[in-house]
């Protein structure tokens, strides 16, 4: 096979191959330089990233420690708030709310047992609000149901308002001279049973102070005659 090859052609071909080899060596040197620069840049970035990661980890640990402290502080403050609120409620029930307690008793009577009393609670912003108390509706419940003023009917609101006025008046009469209590058609939104109960309560009040009740409903006069003792009523037309 070698005998059939032209020696002059081999020399030219070998020269061409050596030239391509030199070109490839130059490309290899260039690629080696690029690789070296890229590797150096990569190592510097890795080193820098490690430093940044370390700094970030230290910062995260600091934030986490601060969160732990704040969470503990929040827990203590929240617990203190609950204890303080219960203490305030207990003190109010025992010493501070004779008017609310008495108004609750009147409210239970005027609503014919639909409500059993009144209490003061707090809304989402810790503002005190007045609630009407309904008896436990189901067995096993530990607390009475609190009804906000917004959830009461118009007649019940009138009964609540009157209960608060009566309680305030009774509290006033315990320490001061009697004064007239004036009512003007307050019973227009009451049903018959609640109207009769309210007239009876007013009749009891009339034993301690003067009640002036204005109305243009004759039916209320008839109902008052059957509900209140005659000696306590004077009719003026």
């Amino acid at each position: 096979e070698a005998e059939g090859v032209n020696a002059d052609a081999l020399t030219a071909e070998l020269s061409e191959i050596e030239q391509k080899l030199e070109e490839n060596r130059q490309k290899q040197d260039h690629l080696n330089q690029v690789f070296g620069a890229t590797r150096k840049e990569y190592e510097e970035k890795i080193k820098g990233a490690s430093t940044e990661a370390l700094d970030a980890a230290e910062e995260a640990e600091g934030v986490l420690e601060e969160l732990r402290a704040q969470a503990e502080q929040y827990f203590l403050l929240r617990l203190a708030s609950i204890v303080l609120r219960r203490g305030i409620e207990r003190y109010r029930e025992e010493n501070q709310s004779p008017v609310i307690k008495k108004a609750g008793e009147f409210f239970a009577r005027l609503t014919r047992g639909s409500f059993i009393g009144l209490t003061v609670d707090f809304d989402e912003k810790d503002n005190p609000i007045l609630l009407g108390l309904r008896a436990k509706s189901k067995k096993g419940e530990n607390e009475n149901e609190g009804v906000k003023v917004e959830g009461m009917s118009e007649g019940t609101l009138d009964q609540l308002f009157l209960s608060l006025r009566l309680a305030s008046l009774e509290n006033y009469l315990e320490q001061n001279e009697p004064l007239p209590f004036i009512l003007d058609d307050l019973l227009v939104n009451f049903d018959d049973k609640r109207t009769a109960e309210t007239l009876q309560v007013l009749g009891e009040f009339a034993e301690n102070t003067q009640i002036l009740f204005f109305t243009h409903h004759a039916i209320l006069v008839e109902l008052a005659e059957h509900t209140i003792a005659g000696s306590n009523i004077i009719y003026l037309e």
Side-chain angles (χ1 to χ4, degrees):
E1 185 177 350
E3 291 177 354
V5 175
N6 188 342
D8 295 334
L10 284 176
T11 302
E13 186 176 352
L14 179 61
S15 178
E16 184 180 352
I17 290 174
E18 288 178 349
Q19 185 179 354
K20 289 183 178 180
L21 181 60
E22 181 62 26
E23 292 176 357
N24 288 334
R25 284 174 181 169
Q26 291 178 2
K27 290 181 180 180
Q28 183 181 15
D29 291 340
H30 176 71
L31 292 175
N32 285 336
Q33 291 176 3
V34 173
F35 173 76
T38 303
R39 182 174 182 178
K40 183 178 180 180
E41 183 180 358
Y42 170 76
E43 291 176 348
E44 290 177 351
K45 288 184 177 181
I46 288 296
K47 183 178 180 180
S50 298
T51 303
E52 292 178 359
L54 181 60
D55 294 341
E58 291 178 353
E59 183 179 358
E61 185 63 28
V63 172
L64 184 60
E65 190 64 30
E66 184 177 354
L67 284 175
R68 290 194 188 101
Q70 291 184 359
E72 182 178 356
Q73 182 70 6
Y74 173 81
F75 173 76
L76 293 175
L77 291 175
R78 185 62 179 171
L79 181 61
S81 174
I82 294 173
V83 173
L84 182 60
R85 178 181 293 184
R86 290 182 178 176
I88 292 174
E89 291 175 354
R90 184 166 57 251
Y91 177 83
R92 185 186 64 246
E93 291 174 357
E94 295 175 353
N95 305 286
Q96 205 173 12
S97 302
V99 173
I100 295 297
K101 182 179 180 181
K102 190 63 181 178
E105 295 174 359
F106 282 124
F107 193 49
R109 287 190 62 182
L110 299 186
T111 59
R112 300 278 296 177
S114 178
F115 289 84
I116 61 174
L118 297 171
T119 188
V120 176
D121 200 356
F122 296 87
D123 62 14
E124 307 81 33
K125 297 182 179 180
D126 286 335
N127 296 317
I129 56 175
L130 188 64
L131 299 178
L133 288 179
R134 291 189 185 274
K136 305 169 188 175
S137 57
K138 297 180 181 179
K139 293 182 179 180
E141 291 183 350
N142 295 323
E143 297 182 356
N144 298 316
E145 178 188 3
V147 180
K148 295 182 179 180
V149 172
E150 295 85 350
M152 298 180 184
S153 66
E154 187 174 357
T156 302
L157 286 175
D158 288 345
Q159 290 140 26
L160 173 60
F161 176 68
L162 179 57
S163 298
L164 291 168
R165 289 186 64 187
L166 291 173
S168 299
L169 179 60
E170 185 173 274
N171 186 64
Y172 175 85
L173 294 176
E174 291 176 354
Q175 307 172 36
N176 300 277
E177 292 295 322
L179 76 167
F181 186 37
I182 302 174
L183 303 168
D184 184 10
D185 259 345
L186 184 66
L187 308 179
V188 292
N189 294 315
F190 290 29
D191 60 30
D192 292 343
K193 292 183 178 179
R194 294 188 181 189
T195 296
E197 186 68 33
T198 301
L199 290 172
Q200 185 174 349
V201 171
L202 294 177
E204 295 170 3
F205 246 84
E207 297 177 1
N208 300 312
T209 190
Q210 186 180 24
I211 305 293
L212 300 178
F213 187 90
F214 295 93
T215 182
H216 59 278
H217 295 284
I219 187 66
L220 292 180
V221 178
E222 297 176 6
L223 188 58
E225 290 176 342
H226 293 86
T227 304
I228 305 174
S231 59
N232 288 332
I233 301 179
I234 298 177
Y235 300 105
L236 299 175
E237 295 184 2

